[in-house]
């Protein structure tokens, strides 16, 4: 995991914050990093469509079923409530699946001949 310094956060730990400005800078930096990472995740999700033979193969319920317990464990390891994290990731995963389906359909739509 990157350190606070690696992310560009002024205070190395939450306890090192000197004022509310330090707290806000850290939270904004973390949120920006999360959004950047979701953008990177999207690239991988869309690229995965290249390996899917048809749109029906995209949801991969067995993969989702394997992912959620792992996210639960990761939440617990980080002192987070898994009852919040698991539904959050379930929603994230479902949204990305929908994006991949749309992408697959766009890439594999029958092409019309120019009239």
């Amino acid at each position: 995991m990157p350190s606070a310094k690696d992310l560009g956060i002024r205070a190395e730990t939450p306890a090192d914050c000197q004022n509310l400005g330090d707290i806000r800078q850290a939270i904004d930096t973390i949120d920006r990093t999360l959004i950047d990472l979701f953008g990177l995740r999207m690239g991988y999700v869309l690229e995965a469509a290249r390996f899917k033979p048809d749109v029906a193969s995209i949801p991969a319920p067995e993969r989702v079923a394997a992912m959620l317990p792992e996210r639960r464990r990761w939440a617990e390891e980080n002192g987070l409530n898994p009852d919040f994290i698991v539904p959050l990731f379930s929603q994230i995963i479902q949204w990305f699946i929908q994006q991949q389906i749309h992408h697959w359909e766009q890439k594999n739509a029958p092409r019309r001949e120019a009239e």
Side-chain angles (χ1 to χ4, degrees), residues 89-101:
F89 267 89
S90 182
Q91 183 177 356
I92 289 167
I93 291 164
Q94 292 307 312
W95 185 81
F96 277 101
I97 287 170
Q98 291 305 310
Q99 299 309 301
Q100 190 180 98
I101 288 170

Side-chain angles (χ1 to χ4, degrees), residues 2 26 43 61 63-65 79-80 89 103:
R63 167 73 174 136
V64 174
L80 298 170
F89 267 89
H103 179 74

Side-chain angles (χ1 to χ4, degrees), residues 78 83 87 89 102:
N78 282 281
D83 293 336
F89 267 89
H102 178 73

Side-chain angles (χ1 to χ4, degrees), residues 42-53:
M42 178 65 83
Y44 285 101
V45 167
L46 297 181
E47 197 59 33
R50 185 165 52 109
F51 302 99
K52 305 290 177 103

Side-chain angles (χ1 to χ4, degrees), residues 7-27:
L7 295 176
I9 296 173
R10 292 189 297 253
E12 292 225 9
T13 69
D16 292 333
C17 291
Q18 299 297 307
N19 54 52
L20 197 51
D22 288 347
I23 297 286
R24 289 177 176 158
Q25 186 269 337
I27 289 171

Side-chain angles (χ1 to χ4, degrees), residues 21-36:
D22 288 347
I23 297 286
R24 289 177 176 158
Q25 186 269 337
I27 289 171
D28 289 348
T29 300
I30 292 166
D31 288 354
R32 176 58 196 244
T33 302
L34 289 170
I35 291 168
D36 290 345

